[in-house]
Amino acid sequence: MPDSNRILNELNTCQEQIKAQGGIQASNLEDYWLQSVGKTLYDKLIQPYNSKMWLVDDVSSIDTFKWSPKGVAIKDGPRAAWDEVYSGYPHSPRGYDDYFPFATQNANVLLSTTVDSINLNSKLVTIDGNTKSYDCIVNTIGLDTLMPDTGLPKLPYLGRKLELIVFPSEHVFPENVYFLYYPGSGSFTRLVEYKKFTKHKSHTSLIGMEIPVNNGGQDYPMPFKWAQRLASEYHNCFASSTFSMGRAGSYLYGIDIDDCIKQSFILREMIVSGSWDHPVPGEQYRFPEL
């Protein structure tokens, strides 16, 4: 970069300050990255990317950010950003489809149905006009969608528009590159080459372009403390033996698919041990960020 000397000086200053204070002391995402990489790199890469990622003008308004740092901001050694991360995907061309018959083999799965209403206290659910009683309810959808009559304000979410492009080549990205992130002025945040995950064999390759949109979609819970406090008010409405989990149900952007799977194992152990129907004082039936 033409301003590399200034960038290097800022990086050295950042490292000295981090060492002097025993780590990064940040109250929001902007503070974290300014202390990590300095103002020049922040203005070039971090601020414009997060501004369009979350459709906010002020990145300092993002005051929950454990999901953001992928280890140290800048490091020596191999060029791979996630050199200690494993990516797992089924070998079957059907992906995860074969898992669901196995996972639900002893369950009565109701497909193509509409839930008309849910009473969390009595655990009564009306489905297509028929009311049923359940021992346990597990929610994975948006809290304000589940409970529209609480009188609480709506929770803020961000949607994603996905443009799919097929390229007439076996691969598009360089070897071992799964994502490309774009901090520039374009509306899209990243491109994803799915074959890198699925190991699919083909002479063409499918690329997904992700564009943040305020279209009413509930793809991403917003990373604001005030919104998470509001979500906690919704969680306070849950009764004994009712649970809320997953990214939408927990209202935590940092919940990824591996965390969702871990939450399900935790819940299973609670049910098997018989501890799931006894409220724990001071705890809500919401699974924390893992």
Side-chain angles (χ1 to χ4, degrees), residues 14-56:
C14 287
Q15 292 303 309
E16 291 172 1
Q17 291 177 342
I18 292 171
K19 185 177 181 180
Q21 62 190 19
I24 295 176
Q25 310 297 324
S27 60
N28 58 64
L29 186 64
E30 181 174 86
D31 285 347
Y32 173 84
W33 282 107
L34 284 172
Q35 292 182 47
S36 298
V37 300
K39 181 171 175 53
T40 303
L41 280 181
Y42 174 80
D43 289 342
K44 280 177 179 284
L45 303 173
I46 308 301
Q47 192 282 332
Y49 181 84
N50 281 283
S51 181
K52 69 176 177 178
M53 162 77 179
W54 296 106
L55 297 182
V56 297

Side-chain angles (χ1 to χ4, degrees), residues 120-121 123 134-139 238-244 267 270-271 274-280 285:
L120 293 176
N121 290 317
K123 289 182 277 298
Y134 294 94
D135 297 321
C136 174
I137 293 177
V138 181
N139 170 64
F238 279 73
S240 174
S241 308
T242 60
F243 303 85
S244 196
L267 179 57
M270 292 173 66
I271 293 174
S275 62
W276 61 286
D277 58 347
H278 302 293
V280 180
Y285 275 81

Side-chain angles (χ1 to χ4, degrees), residues 50-174:
N50 281 283
S51 181
K52 69 176 177 178
M53 162 77 179
W54 296 106
L55 297 182
V56 297
D57 295 325
D58 182 7
V59 176
S60 68
S61 65
I62 302 173
D63 51 4
T64 68
F65 51 95
K66 288 183 179 180
W67 45 266
S68 174
K70 307 299 190 293
V72 293
I74 294 181
K75 61 183 179 180
D76 296 325
R79 293 177 59 86
W82 294 353
D83 54 331
E84 296 180 355
V85 173
Y86 292 90
S87 175
Y89 196 86
H91 288 288
S92 169
R94 292 169 52 85
Y96 290 100
D97 287 357
D98 293 333
Y99 165 78
F100 294 101
F102 162 77
T104 61
Q105 59 184 341
N106 296 319
N108 180 23
V109 180
L110 304 178
L111 299 175
S112 303
T113 56
T114 300
V115 175
D116 303 314
S117 65
I118 296 177
N119 187 315
L120 293 176
N121 290 317
S122 61
K123 289 182 277 298
L124 294 176
V125 183
T126 302
I127 304 172
D128 287 339
N130 298 315
T131 300
K132 298 178 181 292
S133 176
Y134 294 94
D135 297 321
C136 174
I137 293 177
V138 181
N139 170 64
T140 61
I141 66 173
L143 296 162
D144 46 3
T145 301
L146 175 73
M147 298 177 284
D149 301 322
T150 59
L152 293 170
K154 286 280 190 179
L155 287 163
Y157 293 90
L158 202 58
R160 279 295 181 273
K161 180 181 178 182
L162 186 62
E163 299 286 356
L164 300 176
I165 310 165
V166 176
F167 285 85
S169 57
E170 185 175 4
H171 293 289
V172 178
F173 295 175

